Amino acid sequence: MAVNERQRLSDAERCVDEIIRRVGKTVSLGLPLGLGKPVRLVNALYQRAKDDPEINLHIFTALSLLAPAGGSALEQRFMGPFAERLYGDIPELEYARDAAQKRLPSNVKVSEFFFKAGSYLGNRDQQQNYVSTNYTHAVRDLMNLGVNVVAQMISPGERHGAPGMVSLSCNPDLSLDLLPMLRERESAGTPVAIVGEINGQLPWFGRHSAVAEDDFDIVLEHQASEYPLFSAPQMAISPADHLIGFFASTLLKDGGTLQVGIGSLGAALVHSAILRHKNNEAWRAVYDYLQIAERFPLAATDGGTGVFEKGLYGCSEMMVDGFLYLMEAGILRREVHDHADLQTLINRGEINEQVSLATLDVLRREGLVDSPMRARDVAWLKRHGILRDEVEFKGGRLLVAEHSLAADLDDPEAREAIETLTLGSRLSGGVVMHGGFYLGPRAFYQSLRALSDADRDRICMTSVSFINHLYDHRFGDQRLKAAQRVHSRFINTAMMYTLSGAAVSDGLEDGRVISGVGGQYNFVSMAHELPDARSIITLRSTRETRGAAVSNIVFNYGHCTIPRHLRDVVVTEYGIADLRGQPDEQVYLRLIRIADSRFQQGLLSQAQKAGKVDAAFRLPGSWRSNTPENIARAFAEAGGDEWFPAFPFGRDFTDHELVLGKALNKLKTETATRRGKVWTILQAIRAKDEQGRFAELLQRMGLEKPSGLREKMNQRLLIYGLQLTENPPDTGNSKD
């Protein structure tokens, strides 16, 4: 059998046989980030390596997803039924579970360039095997590490009217660049294998992500064993998160560009943007109540307060579900086109989406078409919807239906005929969203599968080398990208931020990795290269550590993800700090202004001791109201849950699970210190549910009839936690 002959197989074991036949027993396997891992195939290959110690398997990937299991006994009782409901039908990624439990065999190694946040903090093997790289450099580094097999989940074209094609769908991000490089390596004499696993549950996307099935050497298809997609449940948006999202929404420019990531802060921004567009009066009332224009002038100069009449364009390495909500709300609707001159004319308002004879005149004036029109002009005009698809060009004339027309834009009769018979109604081929990968809740995947053909075609899943930087690329050069990405707002999150302007987003000062840089550095840097673009770092002002509040705005820290010379805009629940181009003293003070007031004086004293702030400076009274109590008051007076619900986009947790989750979080806080553990146990011993109001909650946790001392203690702890939160469910509305 020829090496480059594609095989479609129905058995994962036969696929593994073929991989080993092609490349031998030293397998350097590249897998997509997140969702696109072909679980059946990978599990078969991993099991083969476990069974055969002669196989040397090195897996290079990022974000290996596992169902949550919980740490403590109570957490495990909580997560068990939830995980079974969401993930019970999805085969587990076996190498990832073994890596998490530190039981990989000696002939298997896993290297990731991005972790699920915090998942490997205590895992020495995975910390040591971590590869630190920008998202845009990952393909280069994979090639340097000797990848010889790439495997990916794909969507089948024959089930979507595209026989002979497959879609990279959720993960064209690296594959579009990696696969051609592997073929070059193969041409130079190195055996490789490119493997696809078909899953009909994977939404179909065309454009850049649709590739020939023949690009794969081996395709695994067994429809009966196709499985649901791994989902990331919606998380609650706290009042503080909502305020951060609201402040960020004031910085969005109508007609601009948006990048945003996953998590409650991104969801809060999306919700406030939709509120601004769909109920602008309510949004403006909150804007005025918070005195944003007076306190934070950047919102007035670089943002906006009106509805999104022109709309936004999404350009984000990760297409989160929020982009779909923005699309449904009529916000994500600014179409961009893959021609720099055409896009520039649209940006300048010289042409618009509606086609007219004036459109042709402008294009001719700018030298984009000639008069008389030539064959290449007609082909270009048809591609962009300016001329109808049925128009042909033969013998120097335009042919449509039974008419033969002069192609001369200077001839009055020809102009009239061209206008009447050949012009399209609006520009075509525009895109409202460029994304590199996607991951989200189950409802998100269902919505993607249910997209109309027209809406699906407005989304282009593509390479991160196109999205994450401005350099030339096969899908567009720097001039095109700059024309498309006007008024960009690149919105990312950080764990901490130093007073000098450095962001800490991915790791700790002892070297341990929390997650990874991903594409954050790319977007922050791009914000400084594009005209009118801004990088916006969002973070909560505090976190809780060992039962005590700790400031996330710090004087300094022994690790940074984004260096201080790229400082730009920072948003906390207390406001907006515009740092770009400011002298250090102003940077320090503006960050102190949006810090929690419990830590402002300490931060100021450190800054003054270091000589970064004038020793005579005193905190103004207006700055010293940054407290959780004032956040709660502001949230309530700004509309509270009516305008800012905890789950604006639905949820996967039941009513009972929300109550239980709050109680468990409270217990975790209360037991963060040794003294707290002792006190909590003493209180729990006395805790009883004498009125039976927690009966259904105890039943959900399997603790309604505890047996043995351990279960009885867990029951008492849970009751105590529920009493602390004082929020029993309305049993008449149970959704369990």
Side-chain angles (χ1 to χ4, degrees), residues 202-249:
L202 195 62
W204 173 268
F205 284 99
R207 292 189 175 265
H208 298 171
S209 62
V211 300
E213 186 175 330
D214 286 342
D215 288 350
F216 290 81
D217 299 312
I218 307 164
V219 174
L220 170 63
E221 181 178 30
H222 186 240
Q223 197 164 343
S225 64
E226 291 176 5
Y227 46 88
L229 305 179
F230 193 99
S231 62
Q234 295 280 8
M235 302 308 292
I237 305 175
S238 70
D241 290 352
H242 265 305
L243 283 172
I244 293 171
F246 189 88
F247 282 124
S249 77

Side-chain angles (χ1 to χ4, degrees), residues 678-718:
V678 172
W679 173 257
T680 300
I681 290 171
L682 291 174
Q683 297 303 307
I685 290 172
R686 304 186 186 98
K688 295 181 181 179
D689 183 27
E690 293 177 344
Q691 297 178 353
R693 58 177 179 161
F694 300 134
E696 292 189 10
L697 296 170
L698 293 171
Q699 185 178 13
R700 162 61 179 79
M701 294 286 282
L703 291 171
E704 70 276 20
K705 295 179 180 180
S707 61
L709 182 61
R710 185 181 297 273
E711 281 196 2
K712 289 179 180 178
M713 191 65 232
N714 281 331
Q715 185 201 57
R716 295 294 180 93
L717 280 168
L718 181 59

Side-chain angles (χ1 to χ4, degrees), residues 42 55 81 168 186 230-231 270 290 334 341 397 617 699 712 718:
V42 174
I55 294 175
L168 302 176
E186 182 181 47
F230 193 99
S231 62
V270 169
L290 295 174
R334 182 175 77 84
D341 291 318
R397 296 181 69 81
F617 183 86
Q699 185 178 13
K712 289 179 180 178
L718 181 59

Side-chain angles (χ1 to χ4, degrees), residues 379-416:
W380 185 84
L381 291 167
K382 287 170 64 176
R383 183 163 73 88
H384 291 288
I386 300 166
L387 294 183
R388 300 175 192 169
D389 283 340
E390 59 266 28
V391 176
E392 298 181 16
F393 185 81
K394 291 184 180 179
R397 296 181 69 81
L398 301 174
L399 304 181
V400 55
E402 299 177 354
H403 302 276
S404 175
L405 314 175
D408 188 352
L409 293 173
D410 292 322
D411 183 328
E413 291 186 10
R415 287 175 63 85
E416 183 177 350

Side-chain angles (χ1 to χ4, degrees), residues 366-380:
E366 297 296 318
L368 298 181
V369 298
D370 290 329
S371 181
M373 287 182 277
R374 296 173 293 173
R376 69 180 185 185
D377 297 324
V378 173
W380 185 84

Side-chain angles (χ1 to χ4, degrees), residues 440-554:
R442 290 183 298 178
F444 177 43
Y445 302 145
Q446 181 55 39
S447 295
L448 292 179
R449 287 189 287 264
L451 284 171
S452 67
D453 290 342
D455 281 341
R456 182 177 290 105
D457 196 51
R458 299 168 75 204
I459 298 172
C460 181
M461 299 302 297
T462 187
S463 164
V464 291
S465 59
F466 172 79
I467 293 170
N468 286 35
H469 62 48
L470 298 175
Y471 311 125
D472 289 352
H473 185 267
R474 62 188 170 122
F475 296 128
D477 61 19
Q478 184 167 341
R479 184 165 169 264
L480 171 64
K481 295 177 187 181
Q484 292 176 338
R485 301 174 192 185
V486 295
H487 301 300
S488 290
R489 299 294 179 264
F490 302 123
I491 303 177
N492 292 280
T493 60
M495 300 185 300
M496 290 176 278
Y497 207 86
T498 72
L499 287 187
S500 65
V504 181
S505 308
D506 71 322
L508 303 178
E509 59 186 351
D510 63 6
R512 285 181 297 162
V513 179
I514 299 289
S515 53
V517 63
Q520 185 173 116
Y521 180 90
N522 297 127
F523 286 109
V524 172
S525 177
M526 200 189 319
H528 289 270
E529 296 172 3
L530 285 170
D532 303 315
R534 302 304 298 260
S535 162
I536 301 168
I537 297 293
T538 60
L539 77 159
R540 303 173 185 94
S541 68
T542 64
R543 67 185 184 279
E544 206 162 78
T545 300
R546 295 186 176 277
V550 177
S551 179
N552 286 329
I553 294 180
V554 296

